[in-house]
Amino acid sequence: MASSETHFELFLRKSPKAGWALADAHSDRLKAIERAKYLLKDHPQGGVRVMKEVLKSDGSYESILVTSFGDCGDIKKRPSRTFIPQATSSCVSPGDLRTPAARKTYLEVMPRFLERHRVLPGELIYRTDLLEILEASGSEITQAVQRVAIARAEGDDLHSIARQLHELVQEAISGVFRDKKNGAFVKFEGSLEQVILACKRRPNAKIAFCSAIADRLMKETSWSQKLNGLVAIWKEAEMLAKPEREFANGLLSDYFSEWINTPGALNAILGDCHNAGEMVDRLISILEPAPTKPGEIDVLRDMASAKDLREAVHLGLLPSARNTILTRVFDEISSNRRLIEGSLLVEFRLLKQFGDRLVKVLQASRRAEMYESFCARSKRLMSTDTVDAYLDEFEVLERPRRLLELKDNIVGAEARQKMTSLLRALIGQPRFEAAAMNCGGKHLQVLVSLRSTQADLIKSDLPEDERIALAEAIDSLGVKVISHAHLLKQIAKKAGSPVLAALALFRIATEAMPRGQSAMLAFAAGGKLLKEPEALEATKADNNLRKTLRELSMRAREASTLGKPDQPEAA
């Protein structure tokens, strides 16, 4: 083979995580492709690549991909758990540590401190009492700085970066104490209008207002109370003139986002959720308008704080908080956790309901992100272990059809490819054939079940070549069942006369047999019976009978072909 100018090599990967290995080689292109299909039947979870090897003038070979079958995609690595700060969170001056991007980083590098003291990042950077505790502990700041330094090093001197960051943090903390001493901060005393007026008298009105918010939130010692405090400020802001209202809401939005991203905060207003699906349901409800029609159930009816947050989001006053909720929804959908325990079909239907609801409240700019999260969920639910656990509840012959029930709710090419691979494995496994052959004499019921599965396959939106190949496999099994049980002879004998036997066989070909050769056998047997003298005489004397036989015969002939759905059956 090595001396041929052109040949075809087959590379096999037995599973998505396995490596590629040379499995065979052929000089003929068609034989190589047929061999690839055969290899895939032995390893339905894997993939096969057919490579054309062309001898070049320098004696080396040029490899060209001809075709591939099965799962041949690159292995996707799981995202690293190492903290990687956003590019916008890079800080070059002490003042940068007060920006929303930097405050988001605090949630990632020091979540335990924030959770322990029930404090938001935007609150911490103006609370000198907590900054003193943070400085005194030493380890909290050191660990946070080290995590950021490791993520940013990228080959540079880690210790140098850590030292620079530590100095920056110390300067920022000193700056907070200095600002407070110099009167740059404002206490939240009196009405919101009075507070804003006091803030505008300071050198930096935004810093002053944020310090006032921190002062207001300091009185709230639980996450639900802090949300109530933020909502109270927002409601009061609604009564102000437009400039003051926009000033307040522009800064409040970041605090709402921090609150939503804080571990445990959402649970404080959404309550204990039995599963991830219930959490997603409540999160989406925050983004939807409150139900107003009679009979509509409000998921948030017993959650006053959640309803207040929904009102603010719906009015468009908190765009940052809205985006944060959407991110949380996509994270939950993309996660490894099941949305709901139990039936896989129920979870897929729930996922579709979430998709229909999200489309109504989603900005166009985030639809790609939504699609990716739903693709990730579909692919995860199509894992072999998850599907096997679901299908174990059903009889062996029923499993392919039960798997096909999920097709309308699956999102993404990879999940559909996985479904195709699983279907191929189910239909091709020996116990599927054994269940069809050893059915306790219920061969006609088995054929009806096979036909139903085949019809669902043909009408599905799976790749056409896969649909036809699987439909042919079911048809082949149907032929084996018919032959093994001598079914056509039994039906003809039971009918009594050739005409009645032909009618029965035509009906069975149309209504009970898998399309293809199975239906063709019944059609041919019926046609043969009609050539007997007794049948010819009966049809000659009865025009209605002749018409009925002609119609059934045409339908039986049509059922002998593959590639299109069944026609509506006559009553």
Side-chain angles (χ1 to χ4, degrees), residues 138-318:
S139 60
E140 297 276 3
I141 293 179
T142 300
Q143 291 174 7
V145 166
Q146 286 177 343
R147 293 190 68 186
V148 178
I150 291 172
R152 290 187 186 174
E154 297 182 355
D156 296 331
D157 184 1
L158 175 62
H159 296 290
S160 175
I161 294 175
R163 184 173 61 255
Q164 293 172 5
L165 286 171
H166 203 279
E167 291 174 354
L168 196 66
V169 170
Q170 292 301 325
E171 289 180 26
I173 292 176
S174 298
V176 173
F177 282 92
R178 185 167 55 252
D179 287 345
K180 183 177 181 180
K181 182 178 179 181
N182 293 336
F185 292 175
V186 170
K187 285 189 171 295
F188 202 106
E189 296 175 341
S191 67
L192 179 60
E193 186 177 12
Q194 292 172 328
V195 171
I196 293 177
L197 186 60
C199 291
K200 290 188 174 181
R201 296 195 190 104
R202 300 300 191 273
N204 191 317
K206 290 185 177 180
I207 288 178
F209 187 67
C210 288
S211 69
I213 293 176
D215 182 64
R216 171 67 177 82
L217 296 180
M218 181 171 60
K219 304 168 187 176
E220 316 297 352
T221 57
S222 70
W223 292 124
S224 57
Q225 290 174 348
K226 286 191 183 295
L227 178 63
N228 291 337
L230 289 171
V231 171
I233 298 173
W234 166 72
K235 285 185 174 180
E236 193 174 353
E238 288 302 286
M239 309 301 294
L240 301 178
K242 183 177 179 180
E244 286 74 19
R245 182 173 68 250
E246 290 180 348
F247 170 78
N249 286 336
L251 296 173
L252 277 173
S253 180
D254 292 326
Y255 282 88
F256 274 104
S257 295
E258 289 174 10
W259 183 91
I260 291 168
N261 276 320
T262 300
L266 269 178
N267 293 338
I269 66 162
L270 296 182
D272 294 330
C273 296
H274 297 94
N275 49 56
E278 194 171 342
M279 172 63 78
V280 173
D281 183 26
R282 295 178 183 181
L283 286 169
I284 296 176
S285 294
I286 293 176
L287 302 177
E288 296 173 323
T292 56
K293 297 180 180 178
E296 286 186 332
I297 298 175
D298 187 359
V299 175
L300 309 178
R301 58 187 178 278
D302 299 324
M303 307 170 197
S305 297
K307 289 194 291 185
D308 287 338
L309 181 59
R310 174 174 61 191
E311 183 182 1
V313 170
H314 181 58
L315 292 174
L317 301 173
L318 305 172

Side-chain angles (χ1 to χ4, degrees), residues 343 390-399 402 405:
S343 170
Y390 169 64
L391 295 179
D392 280 345
E393 303 174 12
F394 308 105
E395 297 293 333
V396 173
L397 289 177
E398 193 181 357
R399 291 175 185 177
R402 293 293 184 176
E405 286 180 340

Side-chain angles (χ1 to χ4, degrees), residues 439-481:
C439 57
K442 299 180 179 180
H443 297 98
L444 193 57
Q445 291 92 321
V446 167
L447 290 170
V448 170
S449 176
L450 292 176
R451 177 184 176 278
S452 177
T453 300
Q454 187 195 55
D456 288 344
L457 264 171
I458 294 173
K459 289 184 288 188
S460 73
D461 57 356
L462 297 176
E464 183 178 3
D465 57 340
E466 294 287 357
R467 282 189 286 123
I468 299 304
L470 291 169
E472 288 175 344
I474 291 176
D475 177 36
S476 298
L477 180 55
V479 171
K480 290 182 180 179
V481 172

Side-chain angles (χ1 to χ4, degrees), residues 260-551:
I260 291 168
N261 276 320
T262 300
L266 269 178
N267 293 338
I269 66 162
L270 296 182
D272 294 330
C273 296
H274 297 94
N275 49 56
E278 194 171 342
M279 172 63 78
V280 173
D281 183 26
R282 295 178 183 181
L283 286 169
I284 296 176
S285 294
I286 293 176
L287 302 177
E288 296 173 323
T292 56
K293 297 180 180 178
E296 286 186 332
I297 298 175
D298 187 359
V299 175
L300 309 178
R301 58 187 178 278
D302 299 324
M303 307 170 197
S305 297
K307 289 194 291 185
D308 287 338
L309 181 59
R310 174 174 61 191
E311 183 182 1
V313 170
H314 181 58
L315 292 174
L317 301 173
L318 305 172
S320 179
R322 182 186 187 88
N323 284 330
T324 302
I325 293 173
L326 283 172
T327 299
R328 178 70 181 271
V329 168
F330 298 150
D331 288 344
E332 290 287 350
I333 291 175
S334 302
S335 71
N336 292 323
R337 294 194 300 161
R338 292 288 298 272
L339 292 178
I340 185 171
E341 293 300 327
S343 170
L344 194 60
L345 179 59
V346 172
E347 179 163 355
F348 267 115
R349 287 175 175 170
L350 179 63
L351 189 64
K352 185 177 186 303
Q353 291 174 11
F354 289 157
D356 293 340
R357 292 168 62 188
L358 282 169
V359 166
K360 297 177 182 178
V361 299
L362 199 65
Q363 310 99 310
S365 60
R366 303 205 65 176
R367 293 197 174 183
E369 190 178 351
M370 170 184 163
Y371 178 75
E372 289 177 2
S373 68
F374 275 67
C375 285
R377 169 64 58 173
S378 291
K379 184 181 177 182
R380 189 166 290 114
L381 290 179
M382 278 289 103
S383 68
T384 304
D385 291 343
T386 304
V387 172
D388 283 349
Y390 169 64
L391 295 179
D392 280 345
E393 303 174 12
F394 308 105
E395 297 293 333
V396 173
L397 289 177
E398 193 181 357
R399 291 175 185 177
R401 188 160 51 85
R402 293 293 184 176
L403 181 57
L404 276 167
E405 286 180 340
L406 308 177
K407 68 182 184 304
D408 293 335
N409 299 318
I410 287 180
V411 180
E414 289 186 74
R416 291 186 177 278
Q417 186 178 26
K418 183 66 175 176
M419 169 176 273
T420 303
S421 179
L422 290 170
L423 281 168
R424 194 186 306 116
L426 285 172
I427 294 171
Q429 62 185 192
R431 62 175 175 172
F432 187 74
E433 180 175 334
M437 304 295 284
N438 307 319
C439 57
K442 299 180 179 180
H443 297 98
L444 193 57
Q445 291 92 321
V446 167
L447 290 170
V448 170
S449 176
L450 292 176
R451 177 184 176 278
S452 177
T453 300
Q454 187 195 55
D456 288 344
L457 264 171
I458 294 173
K459 289 184 288 188
S460 73
D461 57 356
L462 297 176
E464 183 178 3
D465 57 340
E466 294 287 357
R467 282 189 286 123
I468 299 304
L470 291 169
E472 288 175 344
I474 291 176
D475 177 36
S476 298
L477 180 55
V479 171
K480 290 182 180 179
V481 172
I482 294 168
S483 176
H484 173 73
H486 304 290
L487 191 61
L488 301 182
K489 290 182 179 180
Q490 291 182 24
I491 292 171
K493 184 177 181 180
K494 188 175 181 180
S497 70
V499 171
L500 292 178
L503 283 169
L505 289 170
F506 287 158
R507 285 191 179 278
I508 287 172
T510 304
E511 302 171 5
M513 298 291 183
R515 295 176 68 90
Q517 290 301 311
S518 299
M520 175 63 78
L521 289 175
F523 166 69
K528 184 176 181 181
L529 286 169
L530 288 178
K531 293 179 181 179
E532 295 186 7
E534 182 182 343
L536 290 172
E537 185 177 347
T539 54
K540 185 177 180 180
D542 191 334
N543 289 333
N544 290 332
L545 176 61
R546 191 163 58 250
K547 180 180 179 182
T548 300
L549 283 168
R550 184 168 58 251
E551 290 176 352

